[in-house]
Amino acid sequence: EVQLVASGGDLVQVGGSLRLSCAASGFSLSSYWMHWVRQDVEKGLVWVSRISSDGGNTVYADSVRGRFTVSRDNAKNTLYLQMNNLRVEDTAVYYCARDLGGLGPTTFDFWGQGALVTVSS
Amino acid sequence: DIQMTQSPSTLSASVGDRVTITCRASQSISNWLAWYQQKPGKAPKLLIYKASTLQSGVPSRFSGSGSGTEFTLTISSLQPDDFATYYCQQYNTYWTFGQGTKVEIK
């Protein structure tokens, strides 16, 4: 059974840092590009970042570029999101999601359960 | 950025009803559109991708259509498990989501 379990969510002060982890099981993480997506009440679902299967290619949303870093350890079947200089507007549930794969543009075929990040002023 | 607009925001329906949700893109996205279902406290679940391709395991009462800028999700006969919020998502250029349509019990 495919599972993605996100962890590391917490309450943090403005300007602080946090690292989220996403542990994959039931499939080989090394075969898939992966994403982070966040959800809050105001903005809804917002894509945050994507990383290629080998970690060599990363892309970020404008709102987090320069502050967030996505990485992966395929040997540990784990995806990470390092979040620095956090802002109140980064408060959200963060999901890791697996890329559907295939030729051309692709979407997300499986999502983890989400980790809550709360940034307090 | 490509903006996605769903209508209606809320839809009241009964079990057995035929339900249609509309999604409009601010520019053409060909058929690079997905539909997701989300229940409270859970992660979104992929229903349809490439506008009309049913994801494995999704009941055939769900169907999608459209191309360019206008798309629809149809549930042919609403079941109790289908009361949820539905999101469209474009993946022609990066990834953006609609604001969601909540399907509630009438």
Side-chain angles (χ1 to χ4, degrees):
Chain A
E1 180 193 5
V2 171
Q3 279 200 319
L4 291 167
V5 179
S7 60
D10 205 345
L11 172 63
V12 63
Q13 299 269 5
V14 167
S17 297
L18 208 56
R19 188 176 84 156
L20 302 182
S21 300
C22 173
S25 60
F27 70 101
S28 178
L29 186 69
S30 61
S31 298
Y32 289 86
W33 294 44
M34 296 293 293
H35 302 260
W36 287 98
V37 180
R38 67 188 184 188
Q39 184 173 30
D40 64 32
V41 174
E42 275 193 20
K43 294 192 179 121
L45 288 162
V46 175
W47 170 80
V48 171
S49 180
R50 183 209 69 197
I51 186 168
S52 60
S53 53
D54 65 359
N57 185 308
T58 58
V59 183
Y60 299 93
D62 289 346
S63 58
V64 306
R65 189 177 298 119
R67 301 187 299 122
F68 288 14
T69 302
V70 61
S71 63
R72 62 196 297 158
D73 186 336
N74 286 338
K76 294 184 178 178
N77 252 17
T78 304
L79 176 73
Y80 303 100
L81 185 67
Q82 177 67 43
M83 304 183 292
N84 297 332
N85 191 19
L86 282 160
R87 305 168 179 168
V88 170
E89 55 266 33
D90 294 320
T91 295
V93 174
Y94 285 73
Y95 295 100
C96 51
R98 189 177 76 172
D99 193 277
L100 181 62
L103 295 176
T106 58
T107 185
F108 323 137
D109 70 341
F110 193 81
W111 300 50
Q113 94 287 4
L116 176 60
V117 173
T118 304
V119 184
S120 169
S121 57
Chain B
D1 290 8
I2 299 176
Q3 311 300 321
M4 306 301 293
T5 304
Q6 288 181 235
S7 60
S9 297
T10 306
L11 188 161
S12 297
S14 301
V15 172
D17 283 354
R18 181 181 181 88
V19 165
T20 298
I21 299 169
T22 297
C23 178
R24 289 187 174 86
S26 60
Q27 64 189 74
S28 178
I29 57 170
S30 184
N31 60 351
W32 304 117
L33 183 105
W35 289 98
Y36 291 88
Q37 177 194 67
Q38 186 178 33
K39 296 181 178 178
K42 301 292 188 182
K45 173 189 172 185
L46 178 64
L47 298 176
I48 287 168
Y49 61 97
K50 217 169 175 184
S52 60
T53 302
L54 203 64
Q55 172 68 341
S56 175
V58 174
S60 59
R61 62 181 180 272
F62 292 92
S63 64
S65 65
S67 67
T69 61
E70 296 234 357
F71 303 86
T72 58
L73 172 70
T74 299
I75 309 172
S76 60
S77 177
L78 199 65
Q79 298 303 301
D81 191 48
D82 301 339
F83 292 98
T85 300
Y86 293 84
Y87 295 92
C88 63
Q89 177 215 44
Q90 70 81 22
Y91 53 101
N92 179 77
T93 306
Y94 295 104
W95 300 269
T96 50
F97 295 83
Q99 82 281 13
T101 295
K102 183 177 181 181
V103 176
E104 60 181 27
I105 301 173
K106 191 171 185 179

